[in-house]
Amino acid sequence: MYFKGLFLVAATFLIAFTGFSQSLDESVPDSLPDNVLLEKQWSLGAILHTNGWGIKFRKGKNKTLLKQWMWELEFSTYKAAKEYRVINPYYSDSKSYIYGKLNYLSFLRGGVGAQRVLNRKPYWGGVEVSLLYYGGISLGITKPVYLYIIHQTGTGSEYMISEEKYNPDIHFVDNIYGRASFLSHILNLGFYPGIYGKGGLLVDFGSKNRTITALEAGATLDFSPIPIPIMAYNPKQNLFLTLYIGINVGKRHN
């Protein structure tokens, strides 16, 4: 069911980006035949993966007829597999929160790689399939979770609410009112440098060689030498493996 949802959302991205790629077609002059080998390329992409979503930018050029050298910059969110939302049942206007979550986590990746064409697109159009592999620097970025905490001010039903950084030793289901804004203490960040590797397949089905309209699927592995805390009741993590699908649109040129 989860992958079916990913497919439906990817299809939505496809419809939106198809219009963008068509506008790229119209903006390119027809002075060159479409079957001319174009040396350079760039693309934008949207990603859905098993633990979140991401966006990316790629740029590169042809090394040979069937191989391109590329570099990429990517931002991706990450959530733990065991996250689940709860709500305080005694307060009807309380906001749901993820119990036990210590930090929001995202990754900023910058790397280089190659795309090797397995099946070149015929000059009249069609599908081109490429194998891709990338690697480089990965920066894990954490932001602490802040919650609204209930404090009793006296006997009876009197209480006050304060915004506090989640502490599993003193904050429990019965005194957590709900989640605070994600923007609370937005500059209170943690940084975890590491490395990443990525491999997958790229299927370009654009009708013209000068524009890129492609689906991509693969896996990404991030490694942080410093373990990253996400959930209070789970071990800190060094390895983060995700499976992803995405769509890329862009342009080839000389």
Side-chain angles (χ1 to χ4, degrees):
M1 291 297 291
Y2 187 82
F3 285 99
K4 184 183 293 184
L6 290 181
F7 177 79
L8 292 176
V9 177
T12 303
F13 279 122
L14 175 59
I15 294 172
F17 281 127
T18 298
F20 177 68
S21 64
Q22 289 174 349
S23 67
L24 288 176
D25 283 340
E26 295 171 356
S27 64
V28 177
D30 294 328
S31 57
L32 292 175
D34 195 56
N35 61 347
V36 170
L37 178 62
L38 301 172
E39 182 181 1
K40 301 175 182 179
Q41 64 175 277
W42 61 265
S43 65
L44 298 171
I47 306 163
L48 289 171
H49 61 79
T50 47
N51 294 81
W53 58 270
I55 55 176
K56 66 175 181 284
F57 172 77
R58 285 180 180 158
K59 190 174 183 179
K61 62 180 181 178
N62 290 314
K63 179 66 174 178
T64 65
L65 180 64
L66 299 178
K67 188 174 184 179
Q68 300 96 36
W69 289 116
M70 306 289 293
W71 64 267
E72 70 173 1
L73 184 65
E74 179 175 301
F75 172 82
S76 181
T77 64
Y78 187 93
K79 65 178 183 178
K82 296 182 179 180
E83 292 186 9
Y84 62 95
R85 289 190 173 274
V86 297
I87 193 169
N88 193 317
Y90 301 106
Y91 302 90
S92 59
D93 57 346
S94 62
K95 294 183 178 180
S96 64
Y97 62 96
I98 299 171
Y99 185 67
K101 188 177 181 71
L102 293 169
N103 290 296
Y104 300 100
L105 173 63
S106 57
F107 287 99
L108 183 63
R109 306 181 182 108
V112 296
Q115 296 179 180
R116 187 181 300 274
V117 177
L118 303 178
N119 175 52
R120 187 165 176 80
K121 185 183 302 185
Y123 71 89
W124 62 82
V127 174
E128 181 173 282
V129 180
S130 300
L131 175 68
L132 61 87
Y133 41 92
Y134 287 83
I137 298 172
S138 174
L139 180 64
I141 305 172
T142 60
K143 179 202 169 294
V145 172
Y146 282 81
L147 301 172
Y148 289 123
I149 305 301
I150 302 168
H151 297 278
Q152 298 294 332
T153 58
T155 59
S157 60
E158 295 181 358
Y159 63 91
M160 62 175 292
I161 295 175
S162 64
E163 183 181 289
E164 301 177 18
K165 180 180 176 181
Y166 173 60
N167 183 343
D169 294 328
I170 59 175
H171 298 151
F172 307 102
V173 174
D174 56 350
N175 67 354
I176 297 176
Y177 182 80
R179 72 180 184 277
S181 170
F182 175 79
L183 298 178
S184 295
H185 306 272
I186 190 64
L187 298 181
N188 187 11
L189 303 176
F191 299 97
Y192 297 82
I195 58 176
Y196 83 99
K198 175 191 297 182
L201 289 175
L202 186 72
V203 180
D204 188 341
F205 53 89
S207 60
K208 292 189 177 182
N209 186 49
R210 290 170 296 187
T211 58
I212 299 170
T213 307
L215 289 175
E216 181 179 334
T220 302
L221 178 65
D222 292 272
F223 170 73
S224 171
I226 304 173
I228 302 177
I230 304 177
M231 303 295 292
Y233 306 109
N234 290 328
K236 299 177 181 179
Q237 290 183 235
N238 290 99
L239 294 174
F240 303 85
L241 176 64
T242 57
L243 306 178
Y244 72 89
I245 60 174
I247 185 164
N248 306 325
V249 296
K251 180 180 176 181
R252 297 184 179 94
H253 60 95
N254 283 327

